Amino acid sequence: LMKKVVIIGDGYAGIYALQELSKNKNIHITLIDRNTYHNLQPEVYDLIANKSNLADVTVDLTTLCLGFNHNYIEYKNLIVRNIDTKEQKIFTEEKEIVSYDYLVLASGTRTFFPSQISGLNNAHDIKKLQWAMFFKQNFEDQLFKKVKDEAKQCEDTHIVVVGAGLSGVEIAAEMAYNSRRFFQRGNFICDNLKISLVSSSGTILPRLSQKLINISHKRLKSLGIKVLTNTKLTKLEDGYAYLSNGTKILNSFLIFTGGVEAVKISGLEEVITNSRGQIIVNEYLQSDKFDNIFVIGDMAEIKDERGNIMPPNVTIARSSGTNAGRNILRLINNQELIKCKPKLDGILIALGGEYAAGDIKGIFTIKGKIAYLIKQYVFHSYRKPLLKLIKKGYLRLKKLQKG
């Protein structure tokens, strides 16, 4: 009987697992996701800054699955509600039931909105593509309004970004750079767009090297961004953001990037998780209770050989996705499992325009255009094989339609 492998989640990790599993032509693979596209997340910021369009940051899943030279890969656009681990069945909102022999959980994380901050439900989660699009339109409307009202009066537009981790810093820098260029290009006098970046810790980019923090801080300052450290958002009310330092900011837009939590799926309550809801896995990426359930990417707490917890990023998604795929194929063939040995190649931060900063393999720090070009290269080397698969899938689809 043909073994059934199901992947839930189409993020970077899920796609890498799919790529690995597709090497075995005698298994049935189902990819399930609530979206019909794979979202190239780090590039959403480029979308907001008009450096790319919607087609650049999304990959259609149906054509992608068809692109693998495999007769038993299918994509299902479903919302998972519950997993019955005893019966090995997945229940969905659409009432379709999908059974599995092996399961890969790759649903990733979502922005965590703490319930104690009242009014926070009006904040936006930029990680979601529709919010990024909504934000982009709003941002452009604000700029347009400024140009229109220029002769009359110049109202302040104040954008508050809460959370100064990677996403917060990148998005604040991109917006500041973009609006500044917009005003310079049109020679407008009305360039009073203010951006404040609020960090609850004593620094921006906590847990990164001091060198990287300093470079980024300097760049944010040069872009006119006001950085507030040791400050928390306490509530949102009537267009004001109230901060723990006693000030309040009238804002046109608030973006919240203050931390993440793993996406919860019911039926997995007995699996051990950490405080952020990530599932704790062994060195083969299996969950503690079930040998046939693998957890990868941001949804798992993944450790390196020294026991350090790995941050959520594309490098870790790739190594965990590939490793889980290999291990499932090995289980099917009764072979010994391979340990996942994730390593960070380094870290690259986009800081507006063609400027970035980075830490390469923890050995040296780079900044400026060279860092930006390396970041672009890394992204294109990920996207290129996917585009190849889509092309193949598209041609296959056309053939099938002609039939």
Side-chain angles (χ1 to χ4, degrees), residues 158-294:
H158 206 142
I159 293 171
V160 178
V161 180
V162 177
L166 270 174
S167 351
V169 167
E170 289 195 329
I171 204 158
E174 208 51 89
M175 285 187 313
Y177 177 83
N178 206 38
S179 57
R180 178 176 280 197
R181 226 184 61 200
F182 174 88
F183 291 119
Q184 279 169 349
R185 230 182 359 206
N187 292 318
F188 301 114
I189 22 174
C190 196
D191 66 344
N192 50 355
L193 174 94
K194 292 188 169 68
I195 296 176
S196 294
L197 179 65
V198 180
S199 173
S200 59
S201 73
T203 170
I204 58 167
L205 304 169
R207 293 194 296 279
L208 293 192
S209 76
Q210 196 53 50
K211 250 185 179 168
L212 266 188
I213 291 172
N214 296 345
I215 294 168
S216 308
H217 210 283
K218 204 171 156 187
R219 172 70 175 173
L220 294 179
K221 247 178 137 166
S222 76
L223 289 169
I225 295 166
K226 191 174 181 190
V227 179
L228 303 162
T229 50
N230 289 318
T231 307
K232 284 189 170 77
L233 173 71
T234 52
K235 68 172 176 178
L236 283 177
E237 199 177 83
D238 304 327
Y240 281 95
Y242 289 81
L243 305 177
S244 60
N245 63 6
T247 57
K248 57 180 189 173
I249 301 174
L250 182 64
N251 64 87
S252 324
F253 215 88
L254 186 132
I255 297 164
F256 191 82
T257 66
V260 293
E261 62 176 349
V263 174
K264 287 182 187 66
I265 300 176
S266 63
L268 296 172
E269 288 76 14
E270 51 184 303
V271 175
I272 299 176
T273 57
N274 65 14
S275 61
R276 293 199 303 196
Q278 291 170 305
I279 294 172
I280 291 171
V281 291
N282 65 13
E283 62 265 68
Y284 308 114
L285 304 170
Q286 291 159 306
S287 59
D288 66 317
K289 298 277 188 301
F290 309 100
D291 290 349
N292 64 338
I293 298 181
F294 289 77

Side-chain angles (χ1 to χ4, degrees), residues 340-364:
C340 180
K341 298 177 181 173
K343 279 188 189 69
L344 278 178
D345 297 341
I347 197 145
L348 288 159
I349 311 163
L351 293 166
E354 295 190 347
Y355 191 100
D359 200 11
I360 307 297
K361 293 193 188 288
I363 304 164
F364 54 96

Side-chain angles (χ1 to χ4, degrees), residues 357-392:
D359 200 11
I360 307 297
K361 293 193 188 288
I363 304 164
F364 54 96
T365 308
I366 50 171
K367 64 177 183 183
K369 184 146 185 185
I370 175 88
Y372 170 78
L373 292 171
I374 292 174
K375 195 170 167 63
Q376 290 301 96
Y377 170 77
V378 170
F379 172 60
H380 289 301
S381 61
Y382 170 73
R383 195 165 154 250
K384 220 168 131 184
L386 289 187
L387 293 180
K388 244 187 177 154
L389 283 168
I390 290 175
K391 260 201 184 111
K392 274 188 200 157

Side-chain angles (χ1 to χ4, degrees), residues 4-8 28 30 32 90 98-100 102-104:
K4 290 180 184 161
V5 184
V6 176
I7 302 169
I8 299 176
H28 190 285
T30 306
I32 298 178
I90 297 158
V98 183
S99 60
Y100 66 88
Y102 298 94
L103 178 59
V104 179

